[in-house]
Amino acid sequence: MSDDQNYWKMIDRSKKQFDENTNIDSNKILKKSRHKALTTNILISLAVLLMIVPTLTLLTYFYYGSGGHDGRANTQIKVASDVIEVTEPNMFVKRMELEETIDFFSMDLNFDVYKRIGKEEYRVGEYDIDYMLDQPAFPNRTFFLDRPHPEIPPRDEPSYFIHPALHVPYEFKKEWEIVQNVPDGTVVEAYISFSNPIRPDDIRDINPGRDPDIDFLWLAVDTGVEKKVLDSEGLPVTPIGYPIYKDPPTWTPFDNRQDNSEVFKEILNHLENHEEQATKIARAKTLALDERIDYIQENGVNIYGAVVTGPASEIRKLQDNEYVRSLKVGEVKLWNWR
């Protein structure tokens, strides 16, 4: 007989002797002990779980609140809003309206994007970005535009502006016909390309004395890659630039307290430090920031295009402007030019 069999035989004999010498059922005692042990284990497990949840929550908030001067969460919010403002012409995020939801080592960022058309701001889309730690997933984008931009920038074909070194595609030449047929009593958003790169301060020469009566909203910066619409690896790029405001809102870094072109360069340097995250959020799958920053440092900030807005009748005047080489019509809204 094995040792194991001897052990259980001894246990059964002891239980039988215990039952014969007492009035207590040993089976009931064993069942009660097992139940008590099970209850104890469950309570201990629940207590551990209740300790883990707040601990993980505190660790998550510590993670997103630490890391750098602004904390990881604020850094990613800045990256998202900056990359939209410098890569999407005349599109901006009202940073005070951003909604962030933090879960266990993850964050969800939701915000609306706006355009100014005429004298009013219009909500034109929304973004939803999920983060695992500080790495964003590709954003879910929804736009409410009559003339939406391509989701993926076309290869070898400019989307908005034409660099002076490139010929004007036939499709762009037809845009003047659209402007001619847009009814009076409307306001137009237009992407204009210049005959030659100019300094940012020289844009006032395009409409001296407010003739034509238009507002400049966003300036497209010559960064070298626009001459071939590709980066050094042959990937298509989109324009980059920065907004200009007469009366800057409180949430924008382009608040005219310092030269906006200097703010633009600071933002590019910041985005370069987070280029992987910025590229995921941008429509273009390459920002070529290293290449572009080097070019700007060597050549300065020069403008080869701009987003303007104004009454349709004033936008038509740009066809005879010596500075303007081509035009592409954006959004058109009912009259609000006050």
Side-chain angles (χ1 to χ4, degrees):
M1 185 177 293
S2 67
D3 292 341
D4 187 55
Q5 289 174 327
N6 288 330
Y7 172 77
W8 286 110
K9 189 175 181 180
M10 184 180 67
I11 290 293
D12 290 337
R13 189 184 302 117
S14 298
K15 286 173 60 182
K16 187 176 180 181
Q17 291 176 355
F18 181 83
D19 292 339
E20 290 174 351
N21 296 328
T22 65
N23 294 322
I24 301 173
D25 188 348
S26 60
N27 287 324
K28 289 183 178 179
I29 293 176
L30 288 173
K31 288 180 181 179
K32 188 175 181 180
S33 299
R34 291 194 194 102
H35 179 73
K36 185 175 181 181
L38 179 62
T39 303
T40 302
N41 287 337
I42 291 173
L43 291 174
I44 292 173
S45 299
L46 287 174
V48 170
L49 286 175
L50 290 174
M51 291 175 61
I52 288 174
V53 170
T55 300
L56 288 177
T57 301
L58 286 173
L59 288 173
T60 299
Y61 277 94
F62 176 78
Y63 175 82
Y64 282 111
S66 63
H69 180 265
D70 296 322
R72 289 184 178 90
N74 287 334
T75 296
Q76 293 309 315
I77 289 171
K78 177 175 170 55
V79 167
S81 53
D82 281 349
V83 76
I84 289 171
E85 202 155 17
V86 301
T87 65
E88 297 285 355
N90 188 31
M91 191 174 288
F92 56 89
V93 180
K94 294 183 178 181
R95 305 184 187 210
M96 301 303 293
E97 297 180 3
L98 278 155
E99 295 181 2
E100 58 179 295
T101 304
I102 294 179
D103 206 343
F104 294 148
F105 296 104
S106 63
M107 179 174 70
D108 179 71
L109 198 58
N110 184 271
F111 53 87
D112 295 328
V113 289
Y114 298 82
K115 277 178 174 282
R116 185 187 148 194
I117 306 161
K119 295 294 187 181
E120 293 186 5
E121 296 173 351
Y122 294 87
R123 177 174 172 264
V124 298
E126 60 186 18
Y127 277 66
D128 186 75
I129 309 172
D130 292 323
Y131 290 80
M132 179 56 68
L133 299 178
D134 62 350
Q135 293 301 314
F138 290 107
N140 293 317
R141 285 182 284 255
T142 305
F143 291 116
F144 323 118
L145 297 168
D146 294 323
R147 303 198 79 192
H149 309 306
E151 180 63 25
I152 300 176
R155 189 180 182 86
D156 303 329
E157 181 94 10
S159 301
Y160 315 98
F161 309 102
I162 310 294
H163 191 275
L166 300 176
H167 75 280
V168 178
Y170 175 73
E171 291 75 14
F172 273 70
K173 295 177 182 178
K174 294 191 296 184
E175 295 288 318
W176 291 112
E177 296 179 19
I178 297 175
V179 174
Q180 294 299 329
N181 288 284
V182 169
D184 290 337
T186 59
V187 289
V188 177
E189 173 199 40
Y191 307 86
I192 61 173
S193 300
F194 302 147
S195 302
N196 294 291
I198 61 174
R199 302 294 296 172
D201 291 340
D202 293 337
I203 61 170
R204 62 173 66 95
D205 296 333
I206 297 173
N207 63 333
R210 296 287 299 179
D211 185 23
D213 184 15
I214 59 174
D215 287 345
F216 286 84
L217 304 177
W218 196 89
L219 304 180
V221 177
D222 181 6
T223 64
V225 300
E226 291 78 15
K227 297 174 183 177
K228 50 187 184 297
V229 204
L230 301 169
D231 68 1
S232 58
E233 297 181 359
L235 296 172
V237 296
T238 55
I240 63 172
Y242 59 91
I244 51 175
Y245 299 97
K246 288 183 178 178
D247 299 308
T250 56
W251 41 259
T252 182
F254 298 96
D255 53 13
N256 297 337
R257 294 180 183 178
Q258 68 178 108
D259 191 304
N260 284 338
S261 63
E262 293 300 317
V263 177
F264 171 68
K265 289 190 284 187
E266 290 174 5
I267 286 177
L268 291 189
N269 288 325
H270 180 257
L271 290 178
E272 187 182 24
N273 294 330
H274 306 277
E275 189 162 2
E276 181 182 355
Q277 294 95 326
T279 303
K280 274 194 174 180
I281 296 169
R283 284 187 307 113
K285 292 306 106 188
T286 175
L287 296 178
L289 291 177
D290 184 58
E291 187 178 351
R292 287 172 140 167
I293 290 170
D294 287 345
Y295 184 91
I296 291 172
Q297 287 177 341
E298 184 176 343
N299 298 277
V301 174
N302 293 295
I303 308 302
Y304 73 102
V307 181
V308 299
T309 190
S313 57
E314 299 296 311
I315 297 294
R316 292 188 196 111
K317 295 179 182 179
L318 292 171
Q319 190 168 13
D320 300 321
N321 192 297
E322 62 177 320
Y323 287 91
V324 178
R325 183 170 178 241
S326 69
L327 171 145
K328 185 177 179 66
V329 177
E331 299 296 299
V332 179
K333 298 293 183 182
L334 294 177
W335 183 264
N336 61 32
W337 198 255
R338 297 184 291 274

